[in-house]
Amino acid sequence: PSEILESIRHLPDREHVPFADNGCGDLYCWPRTETAEPTVLFADHETGYSYSEAAASFTQWLEEERFRL
């Protein structure tokens, strides 16, 4: 989608693939890897898109962040 292409433009490298944002300029990314279910990284726009681990897997991220009741 065009939103992903636009998001990639802001990242300091091409080693990460953004797949979502939090509406405040921060991005959730996957590292480019051959792993079946890589970690989910949080790219903080206030620190120049430095990365920190948001979840150990996409499944865990979905459970914790997207389907919280």
Side-chain angles (χ1 to χ4, degrees):
S2 62
E3 293 86 4
I4 290 178
L5 293 175
E6 179 65 23
S7 296
I8 288 173
R9 191 170 65 95
H10 298 289
L11 294 177
D13 59 49
R14 298 289 184 236
E15 300 301 314
H16 300 87
V17 179
F19 65 87
D21 65 51
N22 65 358
C24 297
D26 304 317
L27 301 169
Y28 291 97
C29 306
W30 289 301
R32 290 184 191 244
T33 180
E34 298 295 321
T35 306
E37 191 171 14
T39 59
V40 173
L41 302 173
F42 178 76
D44 185 344
H45 81 283
E46 291 183 5
T47 62
Y49 291 102
S50 62
Y51 302 100
S52 61
E53 186 174 302
S57 68
F58 186 61
T59 302
Q60 180 186 8
W61 182 80
L62 286 172
E63 290 170 350
E64 292 176 0
E65 300 298 327
R66 298 296 178 217
F67 296 108
R68 193 178 294 177
L69 299 175

